[in-house]
Amino acid sequence: MKYKFLPKEDKKVAEIIARENKRQKEELELIASENYISSAVLEAQGSVLTNKYSEGTPGHRYYGGNQIIDEMELLAVARLKKIFGCAHANVQPLSGSPANAAVYMAFLKPGDKVLGLKLDHGGHLSHGHPVNFSGMLYNFVQYGVDPKTGRIDMAEVRRIAKREKPKMIVAGYSAYCREIDWKAFKKIADEVGAYTFADIAHTAGLIAAGLMSNPVPYFDVVSTTTHKTLRGPRGAVIMCQEKYAKLIDRAVFPGMQGGPHNHTTAAKAVAFGEALKPSFKKYAAQVIKNAKTMAGEFIKLGYDVVSGGTDNHLFILNLGARGIGGREAEVALEQVGISVSRSTIPNDPNPPMNPSGIRIGSPAATTRKMKEKEMLKVVHWIDEALQNKDDKKVLARIKKEVKKLCLAFPIPTE
Ligand SMILES: *Cc1c(COP(=O)(O)O)cnc(C)c1O
């Protein structure tokens, strides 16, 4: 990253950015929610569009001088519609959680009942956890995965929905590695008269590539972050059926937010353009292959992979039987230059600060063009590091090997 002005203007900030850039280049990112953006996305994100205020929607702004910004936002919307086939799209949400807040605000009143997946089964904080606004404002009832299969049991969801009669059912998760039966959710929601809300933050890129099923045709409303598998800037979007267009737009602004971040809208448009290219489909297919390769190898090595494999870009290792906690594992891997996130396992006997598992994802490594061969190496390094978590010598040796691999597979930005 060569900056012309920053090192002169602000040495401290320039130095911190340079160090983080070096870390990203030399270390391996296996956190399932992270990715590396392209130089084109980065340039759009760093543009002067950040200077402009444009509360409202294209053609209906509360500030003058927005004709060019309107063009930008309409371009982002048009590309997003092409990717997912949605009737209406709002590209202004600042991030996933505010997007979900806007969705709830559009369809619910405080205290209304909503069905969401339990956090320790793979749900997101914004799907009704008590420490999150969602759990404080709305009356969330949680469903879980089947303890035997690790998969969502649709008969159980139906039973809970019939008992609770929620106003909305939320599907789409943060730590769930199996295909989701959107149609079955829709059918249950129709039976009890509930709205359907899909949060595809994690799998949006795989759905965009046509490799996982798309909830857009069935669901009332769909939200996604743009920075996970979709490989855009930090941010989010909301898609909905045409009849809800006004409700959603009003919930985003003035309901939840003020002015949209136009530089981010530009970067979203670039990322959507990239997602429409054939090369993105290849990328997404490799993401899934790489995750399956890692999960399969861990199983061969005797590890317990939740649900016994994966259909998408991530999987959860249950380390319970190995006498190592999720946090310990995270710290050990940090020492070899591999980032993973500690994760709960379904019905985790341990607390969230030190849960029983780690979540591993392939999107970022795949952006570096790593394939099955590299993934196998990575699995064996992880295994070795976990088995020698207190042996500084072994960890130092693995760290060197990780760095060598990373330098051979550069990140897309300089
Ligand atoms: C990541 C994620 C979010 C939140 O996104 P932020 O941008 O971090 O607020 C929401 N829902 C799901 C399912 C997620 O995985």
Side-chain angles (χ1 to χ4, degrees), residues 83-84 179 204-214 280-281 284 288:
I83 295 174
F84 291 99
E179 184 58 273
L206 310 178
I207 294 170
L211 301 173
M212 295 196 80
S213 60
N214 183 2
F280 190 83
K281 193 164 185 163
I288 296 176

Side-chain angles (χ1 to χ4, degrees), residues 24-97:
Q24 291 189 12
K25 285 178 177 176
E26 294 180 355
E27 296 188 0
L28 189 64
E29 193 53 71
L30 294 180
I31 292 177
S33 51
E34 293 187 20
N35 213 329
Y36 306 108
I37 52 168
S38 69
S39 297
V41 170
L42 185 63
E43 283 181 358
Q45 173 85 358
S47 68
V48 295
L49 271 63
T50 190
N51 293 338
K52 193 77 198 93
Y53 242 108
S54 34
E55 286 176 349
T57 49
H60 309 275
R61 304 286 192 185
Y62 290 82
Y63 291 79
N66 268 308
Q67 288 79 3
I68 299 168
I69 294 294
D70 280 2
E71 234 179 276
M72 185 80 259
E73 191 169 323
L74 289 171
L75 181 63
V77 166
R79 287 180 180 173
L80 185 66
K81 284 185 173 177
K82 200 166 170 196
I83 295 174
F84 291 99
C86 57
H88 179 75
N90 186 308
V91 297
Q92 296 185 5
L94 303 177
S95 217
S97 297

Side-chain angles (χ1 to χ4, degrees), residues 115 143-144 146 151-163 181 184-185 188 191:
L115 231 57
Y143 58 93
D146 183 308
R151 296 174 189 241
I152 288 163
D153 174 356
M154 293 312 296
E156 170 77 354
V157 174
R158 185 164 181 269
R159 199 180 57 76
I160 299 175
K162 289 209 130 181
R163 184 186 72 210
D181 192 346
F185 270 106
I188 292 168
E191 276 182 59

Side-chain angles (χ1 to χ4, degrees), residues 95-98 100 124 126-127 172-174 199 201-202 225 227-228 235:
S95 217
S97 297
N100 291 353
H124 189 258
S126 63
H127 297 180
Y173 318 106
S174 299
D199 177 352
H202 259 269
T225 55
H227 50 271
K228 297 180 184 174

Side-chain angles (χ1 to χ4, degrees), residues 14 151 233 336 344:
R151 296 174 189 241
V336 302
T344 53

